[in-house]
Amino acid sequence: MTLERKIVLVGLMGTGKSTVAERLAGRDAAVADTDAMIEESMGRSVRQIFSQDGEERFRDAESEALAAALASHAAVVAAAGGVVVRAANRDLLVKAREEGRAIVIWLRAEVGTLAARVSGGEHRPLLDGDAVESLRALEAEREMLYREVCDAVVDTDEMSVDEVVAAVIQIAEGDRS
Ligand code: S3P
């Protein structure tokens, strides 16, 4: 896949950002996945960083990972669910859009759909306990923030991964023409 702009996927946990990003990039293009970047740079899992250092330290690493991902040569960025929480991160995303370096796509789904998809998610300590309740709270807190940073929304509830990939490509190609 060759596109002039990076595709940046945002959205809550369980919307399929990482899977869709890998599929979009295929064999030829690189993916920058902020969770994977953090785990690599800190040498620990997301869960370990949360429990040993606390969420704020994780969010610091996340801001660094997002900036590095946007500055990288990766064609696709899978931005973890929480990147929109900090205003500085939202500014980075909006700036990348305004400068024509990125198109930001919000993968959205109902909480019930997300809860079914995320069961057993090892790198998601925020969903320990009642995942539905936690997702509902995160959705309420973040919906406006995803909307603020995105160019387009894909409602993934009724879609297969293939269909989501096709929808994202259509948006990205439409954006180019
Ligand atoms: C989080 C999302 C997770 C991971 C961490 C916190 C969030 O990433 O970064 O558990 O705050 O939404 P995914 O969105 O890739 O699951």
Side-chain angles (χ1 to χ4, degrees):
M1 195 186 57
T2 44
L3 288 169
E4 284 152 31
R5 294 173 190 225
K6 276 186 202 326
I7 296 175
V8 181
L9 302 177
V10 298
L12 282 175
M13 293 176 264
T15 46
K17 301 176 298 286
S18 299
T19 309
V20 171
E22 291 292 342
R23 290 282 296 279
L24 279 167
R27 273 177 303 178
D28 304 329
V31 173
D33 186 311
T34 59
D35 280 341
M37 293 167 78
I38 294 166
E39 291 189 334
E40 198 180 325
S41 71
M42 297 186 72
R44 284 176 290 157
S45 69
V46 169
R47 181 173 288 279
Q48 284 171 326
I49 301 164
F50 262 80
S51 68
Q52 294 167 0
D53 301 356
E55 181 169 349
E56 277 312 293
R57 176 70 193 94
F58 175 81
R59 297 295 172 203
D60 291 341
E62 184 168 66
S63 296
E64 286 166 26
L66 178 68
L70 292 174
S72 75
H73 293 296
V76 187
V77 175
V83 294
V84 292
V85 171
R86 288 193 173 176
N89 294 349
R90 299 199 297 279
D91 289 347
L92 277 184
L93 289 167
V94 170
K95 187 158 175 262
R97 286 172 51 190
E98 286 173 355
E99 293 176 356
R101 291 183 282 116
I103 174 164
V104 181
I105 299 179
W106 174 19
L107 301 188
R108 216 199 63 81
E110 297 297 323
V111 164
T113 307
L114 298 176
R117 289 183 190 158
V118 295
S119 58
E122 171 52 26
H123 72 288
R124 291 164 176 152
L126 295 180
L127 301 186
D128 290 350
D130 188 339
V132 172
E133 260 321 297
S134 304
L135 284 164
R136 230 186 274 293
L138 291 172
E139 180 188 54
E141 185 188 311
R142 296 179 183 170
E143 198 159 30
M144 289 306 296
L145 307 179
Y146 293 127
R147 199 175 299 286
E148 180 186 321
V149 300
C150 79
D151 293 282
V153 187
V154 177
D155 276 304
T156 67
D157 286 288
E158 306 293 330
M159 295 170 97
S160 66
V161 172
D162 279 348
E163 288 169 332
V164 178
V165 170
V168 170
I169 289 174
Q170 198 177 11
I171 291 165
E173 288 183 341
D175 180 69
R176 218 171 16 156
S177 59

